[in-house]
Amino acid sequence: MSLSDDLNPVQQEAVLETEGPLLVFAGAGSGKTRVLTYRIAYLVHEKRVPPWKILAVTFTNKAADEMKERVERLLGGSTKGAWISTFHSACVRILRRHIDHLGFKSNFVIYDEQDQDRHLKGIIKELGLDPKTFPPRKMLSAIDHLKNRGVSAEEYVPSEFNIFQKKLAQIYRLYQEDLRRNNALDFGDLLHFVTLLFRRFPEVLKFYQDLFHYVMVDEFQDTNLIQYELIRQIVNLHRNLCVVGDDDQSIYRWRGAEIGNILNFARDFPECKVITLEQNYRSTQNILQAANAMVSRNRFRKKKVLWTENPGGELLTFYTGEDEGDEARFVVKKIVEQCHPSPALTGLSETPDRVFRDIAVFYRINAQSRAIEDELVKNGIPYTIVGGMKFYERKEIKDVLAYLKWISNPSDGISLKRVINVPPRGIGEKTLEKIEALSREKGFSFYEGIRHALEERWFPPATHGKMEEFVRMMEELRKDREAFSLRQLTLAVLAQTGYLQRLKEEGTDEALSRVENIDELVNVITEFEQDGEGIPLESFLDKVSLMSDVDLYEDKKNRVSLMTLHCAKGLEFPIVFIIGIEEGVLPHHRRGEEIHDLEEERRLFYVGLTRAKERLFLSRAERRLTFGVGRVNPASRFLEELPEELIQYEIRREESRRHSSGEPEWSDSFWEEEKVVDMADAEIPLPAVDRIVLTPEGFMPLRIGMMVRHPKFGEGRVKAVEGMDENQKVIIFFQAVGSKRLKVRYANLEILE
DNA sequence: GTCTCTAACCTTTTT
DNA sequence: GGTTAGAGAC
């Protein structure tokens, strides 16, 4: 390790400034991780700080693992007990040790969003509230918000005149009570409880203050209030806190991230030193210039201008597709071109200079991946999706995990209720409700409730037998835990419960794919156990609960990567596509015109732009299917904010319409006439409609609310349009015969206005 | 209690 | 367009 060889002067300064608070503004691609890893290595190697006195927190496990790996490489050995982990896993580690202070047992389980949802629904029902006026998900996010601001159920004081708040207070209290009964914590609790622990038990706080002499926080712009408070509590003694972040890459405001944490850091730590890393090592001049121009439009930011010594590189390419299919064809055609350049196009190169793993496609929302996927499949290009429907969210996986969770913590009623009748055992909703009421009244966990009811012979005879059988089976599994390995335990669950057998009997394609997934889960568990540490069952469940989408991402396979812009943060690719540069998509219409929201959307775009090392392709579609309904989107306002001279517009041939079937999409005969034109020519006037309707003659502009005439039913008003293909239907209210749903193709409609 | 079919919701982003 | 929750039939 040689600081002067491996780091530029500013980076070196950030490494050497070890004492006291330090704020590092690290622009995209400026070597942020490098600084952090060298800093840790420097502390251990040069300043002889014992590794376990160092705490470094990140947001994803992937980032933590990467940091660990790089520190190990620098130190030529292990990280020897340095705490390098995510906020959440650090908190779990602390709570497993000290949570008894707060009246929980150390084998608590962590509820995910789905568990929370079920849990809260039960409470709303219990209170006799209408789920329509008090939607569980809205209540949940309100509770989460309170936790993120450090407000506990007992402390929350609702406004006396606000019915919503009053009910919220009631629900929040009951929700926490029930969690305690289940010995369970939700995501928000993990952080919140540690701050409570620190506040109420100074000796515990003292222990960690003494322990951590040096604290580092990565991606500081994404911390929320509670995370910041946690850090402040810990560093209050030694005050050796180094935070690294980039306000321009703050994209989690909607989840409570406080951009003020980084912008006002100097106010909380007046003695702090500020270092700004502005040299970019990742992107070409053109890419960087475009990104700079974009983000400089934001008003609420610390001014900085990234620069690079890299070559100018190629211009950004922009394509306007007819619809998302056309857009996808453009993307795939370009991918093929990059990976298999034909001699005619490149002049000389015979071998592809790019492989699939060099390429990533980013989008605003997950739903946009579909069109791209279809097109990639059609062309036999391997790809991987980061995020979206996750493995651990599949029903069968969650079922098996629920059994395991319960074995780990028999107080966990949510998991128990999930599987008590899976596969069907003749134990129904009503029985469960009775047990729940009984348990709540007596302060039992759900399982204790069942056992109590059995002893007292509360169940009707038929139910009694079934329940007895179930309890016997679960007790058996609980015993298995002592003697069995985690793998054996999982296999025992699958066999004893009849879960696997039931799926096999079903024999449908769906059931068989579930069996395959379960098979995969057993593989994962086996692997985990082999290089495992700690108690396998608990650590495995923790790992699964705290896993994020990006964590599953493996970059070793040679595949094109597809992901949302949010997932893209922290990654880089030689070639990047950003699709859907449209008003309503990016910026997304669910955000208002509020300046902070708009600026965050702009930052999101900025994050996407700065992931690219060499080439950047941007695109949009004039028409897009949302909810299976056609929609026309104008170009994003962000497009105009990119410097004109950095962009070349690629125009499409009119024939692309007939191209939806037949020949391979990228065949040279079709594309070779492409040319570069300027904006004026590329802009195609947009039809002023919000629904496009397909008729035998072609497209027909039909607006909702428009009056039309049908040959048989007479005059009517358009209420809705469904679909875009030849099966497209339209719902029309006719004065004569009422509402009708008609296939547009055959309806023979005539527009009246 | 179990299974099947319809209707509503959905899509912003996730540790 | 696709999934999922709730209603209705057996």
Side-chain angles (χ1 to χ4, degrees):
Chain A
M1 169 172 117
S2 160
L3 293 187
S4 49
D5 287 353
D6 300 346
L7 303 172
N8 71 34
V10 193
Q11 289 173 332
Q12 284 176 45
E13 202 187 342
V15 168
L16 295 172
E17 198 69 40
T18 58
E19 310 304 304
L22 172 68
L23 166 59
V24 181
F25 280 105
S30 64
K32 173 188 63 141
T33 312
R34 200 182 188 81
V35 165
L36 276 172
T37 50
Y38 271 78
R39 200 178 147 90
I40 296 172
Y42 174 76
L43 283 170
V44 175
H45 199 257
E46 302 293 323
K47 301 206 78 179
R48 299 279 152 204
V49 175
W52 60 86
K53 293 194 170 180
I54 298 172
L55 169 67
V57 279
T58 62
F59 275 86
T60 66
N61 294 297
K62 188 175 190 289
D65 289 344
E66 195 186 323
M67 198 181 292
K68 255 185 251 173
E69 221 169 89
R70 286 169 70 167
V71 172
E72 272 167 23
R73 223 178 304 147
L74 285 177
L75 288 176
S78 85
T79 48
K80 296 191 199 83
W83 284 47
I84 302 178
S85 76
T86 64
F87 268 104
H88 293 268
S89 21
C91 287
V92 169
R93 197 166 158 187
I94 293 172
L95 289 174
R96 290 254 181 249
R97 263 179 97 159
H98 305 284
I99 200 169
D100 52 318
H101 284 87
L102 297 174
F104 282 75
K105 283 179 280 175
S106 70
N107 62 338
F108 62 84
V109 292
I110 302 162
Y111 279 173
D112 64 21
E113 220 172 297
Q114 227 180 77
D115 297 331
Q116 292 179 52
D117 208 50
R118 283 166 185 248
H119 184 96
L120 199 77
K121 269 185 193 147
I123 287 167
I124 289 180
K125 211 169 163 190
E126 174 79 21
L127 289 172
L129 296 173
D130 179 12
K132 287 219 171 74
T133 25
F134 299 96
R137 286 177 70 186
K138 204 174 159 197
M139 306 311 289
L140 216 46
S141 87
I143 290 174
D144 199 52
H145 236 75
L146 288 172
K147 287 181 181 174
N148 284 339
R149 293 197 339 247
V151 182
S152 62
E154 305 92 65
E155 292 161 349
Y156 178 53
V157 184
S159 143
E160 202 181 324
F161 307 104
N162 189 325
I163 298 174
F164 182 85
Q165 284 188 11
K166 280 168 85 172
K167 284 291 167 204
L168 175 62
Q170 200 183 355
I171 292 171
Y172 187 9
R173 233 160 269 160
L174 206 50
Y175 176 83
Q176 288 307 122
E177 243 169 63
D178 271 7
L179 280 178
R180 189 182 302 261
R181 218 156 40 82
N182 288 301
N183 196 25
L185 271 63
D186 69 14
F187 264 105
D189 288 333
L190 293 180
L191 298 155
H192 182 212
F193 278 15
V194 175
T195 59
L196 285 185
L197 192 66
F198 285 172
R199 247 189 278 158
R200 294 183 192 164
F201 301 91
E203 73 278 12
V204 178
L205 173 60
K206 185 82 181 14
F207 174 79
Y208 288 101
Q209 284 180 334
D210 285 338
L211 182 61
F212 297 126
H213 287 229
Y214 294 91
V215 177
M216 274 152 269
V217 184
D218 192 13
E219 306 277 15
F220 188 64
Q221 76 283 354
D222 287 331
T223 51
N224 59 29
L225 287 177
I226 199 90
Q227 286 160 336
Y228 188 33
E229 162 158 9
L230 194 70
I231 293 298
R232 268 190 302 183
Q233 285 175 325
I234 289 177
V235 300
N236 207 16
L237 187 63
H238 294 288
R239 289 179 90 76
N240 297 325
L241 169 64
C242 166
V243 301
V244 181
D246 179 4
D247 49 318
D248 289 334
Q249 292 185 66
S250 162
I251 52 176
Y252 287 106
R253 193 176 96 92
W254 52 274
R255 208 174 64 196
E258 231 348 293
I259 198 169
N261 286 353
I262 191 164
L263 293 177
N264 303 325
F265 185 78
R267 192 189 55 201
D268 294 329
F269 293 89
E271 77 272 36
C272 87
K273 181 147 189 171
V274 181
I275 293 176
T276 309
L277 303 175
E278 286 176 304
Q279 181 175 3
N280 172 293
Y281 294 94
R282 182 185 293 150
S283 310
T284 64
Q285 306 258 6
N286 284 337
I287 291 170
L288 207 56
Q289 215 181 321
N292 271 335
M294 174 61 50
V295 80
S296 66
R297 305 250 175 177
N298 276 358
R299 274 172 49 204
F300 298 93
R301 70 186 283 260
K302 181 187 182 293
K303 189 167 187 257
K304 48 192 143 3
V305 179
L306 297 188
W307 58 276
T308 182
E309 289 172 351
N310 289 344
E314 295 186 60
L315 294 179
L316 284 61
T317 302
F318 194 95
Y319 179 74
T320 302
E322 234 183 292
D323 52 30
E324 69 268 40
D326 188 31
E327 183 183 41
R329 262 172 263 131
F330 161 76
V331 170
V332 171
K333 174 200 152 227
K334 286 295 173 192
I335 290 175
V336 169
E337 246 175 51
Q338 299 293 323
C339 296
H340 307 285
S342 78
L345 283 170
T346 55
L348 19 112
S349 161
E350 282 286 320
T351 47
D353 45 4
R354 283 300 162 205
V355 289
F356 293 137
R357 84 161 69 79
D358 294 334
I359 298 173
V361 182
F362 303 152
Y363 33 80
R364 177 65 235 264
I365 59 173
N366 279 306
Q368 284 173 269
S369 72
R370 169 151 279 111
I372 304 288
E373 281 182 78
D374 287 350
E375 202 57 30
L376 288 168
V377 169
K378 225 190 263 174
N379 291 287
I381 297 173
Y383 68 92
T384 178
I385 291 200
V386 182
M389 176 60 168
K390 288 154 262 179
F391 180 70
Y392 289 99
E393 272 172 23
R394 289 169 201 276
K395 200 179 287 154
E396 59 276 20
I397 302 302
K398 294 211 68 174
D399 286 343
V400 178
L401 288 175
Y403 277 109
L404 293 175
K405 272 185 174 179
W406 180 83
I407 292 168
S408 155
N409 168 24
S411 307
D412 176 4
I414 291 283
S415 296
L416 189 61
K417 273 187 269 182
R418 181 186 176 103
V419 294
I420 195 167
N421 206 28
V422 182
R425 300 189 176 94
I427 301 170
E429 195 60 36
K430 281 214 170 138
T431 311
L432 297 188
E433 269 171 34
K434 277 185 205 154
I435 301 169
E436 183 63 44
L438 165 78
S439 322
R440 197 184 292 276
E441 184 199 324
K442 304 242 176 190
F444 288 161
S445 74
F446 194 76
Y447 189 63
E448 286 167 340
I450 293 176
R451 301 200 58 158
H452 185 81
L454 278 175
E455 276 163 32
E456 305 280 319
R457 303 220 147 241
W458 278 33
F459 297 121
T463 314
H464 186 91
K466 292 171 191 164
M467 201 62 95
E468 217 168 25
E469 171 59 22
F470 178 71
V471 167
R472 200 193 50 72
M473 179 186 79
M474 296 303 271
E475 282 302 317
E476 196 104 322
L477 287 171
R478 207 136 70 102
K479 263 187 234 131
D480 286 346
R481 188 202 163 164
E482 329 243 295
F484 285 9
S485 71
L486 179 53
R487 177 194 153 86
Q488 288 169 323
L489 180 65
T490 312
L491 293 176
V493 165
L494 291 169
Q496 299 284 315
T497 61
Y499 195 94
L500 208 53
Q501 203 191 345
R502 165 84 187 195
L503 279 179
K504 283 179 178 161
E505 275 165 10
E506 234 172 272
T508 58
D509 281 354
E510 199 198 339
L512 290 178
S513 98
R514 296 219 157 130
V515 173
E516 271 172 40
N517 286 330
I518 290 175
D519 212 49
E520 181 58 29
L521 178 67
V522 174
N523 287 339
V524 172
I525 285 176
T526 310
E527 220 171 281
F528 176 83
E529 203 167 27
Q530 271 161 10
D531 39 45
E533 35 190 294
I535 313 163
L537 180 56
E538 265 85 27
S539 12
F540 180 71
L541 293 175
D542 280 352
K543 188 184 152 138
V544 170
S545 304
L546 300 176
M547 187 127 56
S548 74
D549 292 336
V550 203
D551 295 336
L552 284 172
Y553 174 59
E554 37 183 342
D555 33 18
K556 289 164 200 93
K557 292 197 178 143
N558 188 20
R559 296 161 180 273
V560 174
S561 300
L562 272 54
M563 69 190 83
T564 62
L565 286 162
H566 283 87
C567 278
K569 199 177 64 159
L571 304 176
E572 59 174 33
F573 298 88
I575 299 168
V576 164
F577 291 83
I578 305 177
I579 64 173
I581 317 284
E582 296 146 35
E583 279 300 300
V585 178
L586 185 68
H588 197 269
H589 69 267
R590 286 288 289 262
R591 298 251 194 170
E593 289 291 312
E594 214 252 306
I595 183 148
H596 293 290
D597 285 334
L598 188 64
E599 295 209 341
E600 181 146 309
E601 292 288 300
R602 193 179 278 114
R603 289 193 292 268
L604 198 50
F605 190 33
Y606 173 77
V607 166
L609 294 172
T610 51
R611 300 306 95 196
K613 291 160 94 165
E614 290 165 26
R615 287 220 64 177
L616 203 40
F617 294 94
L618 309 175
S619 64
R620 72 177 179 102
E622 289 175 337
R623 273 195 316 277
R624 186 177 290 282
L625 279 181
T626 2
F627 301 127
V629 170
R631 219 167 246 292
V632 176
N633 292 328
S636 168
R637 67 192 81 180
F638 297 154
L639 178 56
E640 286 169 28
E641 296 175 5
L642 290 169
E644 187 74 3
E645 67 277 13
L646 295 178
I647 301 180
Q648 54 181 359
Y649 292 89
E650 179 151 325
I651 197 167
R652 64 165 186 261
R653 292 263 320 260
E654 274 314 304
E655 286 94 315
S656 64
R657 189 169 305 166
R658 65 155 197 234
H659 209 68
S660 42
S661 62
E663 296 295 299
E665 266 53 54
W666 65 88
S667 79
D668 287 355
S669 62
F670 175 67
W671 287 100
E672 67 197 354
E673 287 178 43
E674 70 196 25
K675 55 185 176 222
V676 174
V677 294
D678 69 24
M679 185 71 176
D681 290 337
E683 267 301 279
I684 291 149
L686 294 166
V689 290
D690 44 27
R691 299 289 190 278
I692 300 287
V693 166
L694 191 67
T695 66
E697 287 78 43
F699 286 97
M700 168 177 173
L702 210 58
R703 220 175 275 132
I704 288 178
M706 206 175 235
M707 292 299 293
V708 293
R709 181 181 290 124
H710 183 270
K712 234 165 117 186
F713 303 128
E715 288 185 9
R717 195 175 288 281
V718 178
K719 288 174 69 183
V721 181
E722 306 169 349
M724 276 283 288
D725 57 6
E726 64 275 8
N727 291 319
Q728 185 182 45
K729 294 188 190 89
V730 60
I731 296 173
I732 298 170
F733 182 82
F734 294 102
Q735 284 99 327
V737 291
S739 252
K740 289 272 174 199
R741 185 194 255 189
L742 304 164
K743 267 199 181 174
V744 178
R745 231 178 143 171
Y746 308 114
N748 227 340
L749 295 171
E750 184 192 341
I751 295 177
L752 291 178
E753 40 193 78

